[in-house]
Amino acid sequence: MNSEYNSKSFKHDRYIASLTEELLNKEDLKTKEILTKERTEYTRGADAVIKRVQRKYLEERRYIEIDKALDDKNEVRFLALTSKGWEHVLS
């Protein structure tokens, strides 16, 4: 008997590899489909998470810009970033 030949193990490994490859291809196709769509529909939960992340990004960017304004002693920029409507200043 050949010690390198183990049909059960070999078939199982090939099966797992084919499933993994198929799964990756499906995910890749889904990603490509989402990226090529003109519009994408989100659930309310996903939409809330996206808005929260965007808000957090803007706030982080605001703090960086405030620090720059303080370093540059730019009073106008500092006041704009610390007043109401500061989102429009970053746009």
Side-chain angles (χ1 to χ4, degrees):
M1 184 177 229
N2 188 352
S3 63
E4 293 179 19
Y5 179 74
N6 187 348
S7 64
K8 229 182 206 181
S9 174
F10 179 72
K11 287 180 182 176
H12 180 70
D13 291 346
R14 283 201 95 163
Y15 178 71
I16 297 295
S18 69
L19 283 180
T20 305
E21 184 178 322
E22 185 179 319
L23 231 161
L24 290 174
N25 287 339
K26 281 184 182 178
E27 288 182 12
D28 193 37
L29 288 173
K30 284 181 185 178
T31 303
K32 286 179 182 177
E33 181 183 342
I34 289 170
L35 292 174
T36 56
K37 280 185 180 180
E38 188 173 327
R39 292 181 175 203
T40 305
E41 294 181 24
Y42 297 106
T43 62
R44 283 187 210 147
D47 206 23
V49 169
I50 290 168
K51 286 180 182 177
R52 203 172 335 137
V53 169
Q54 289 173 337
R55 182 73 178 174
K56 180 94 171 140
Y57 172 78
L58 272 179
E59 288 173 354
E60 292 293 325
R61 188 165 165 223
R62 176 186 180 205
Y63 295 134
I64 291 168
E65 292 295 321
I66 288 173
D67 287 341
K68 280 185 191 176
L70 287 171
D71 289 342
D72 297 341
K73 297 183 181 10
N74 187 343
E75 184 178 350
V76 174
R77 180 93 170 142
F78 175 78
L79 290 175
L81 289 166
T82 55
S83 63
K84 281 187 177 180
W86 59 267
E87 296 93 347
H88 299 292
V89 176
L90 291 177
S91 304

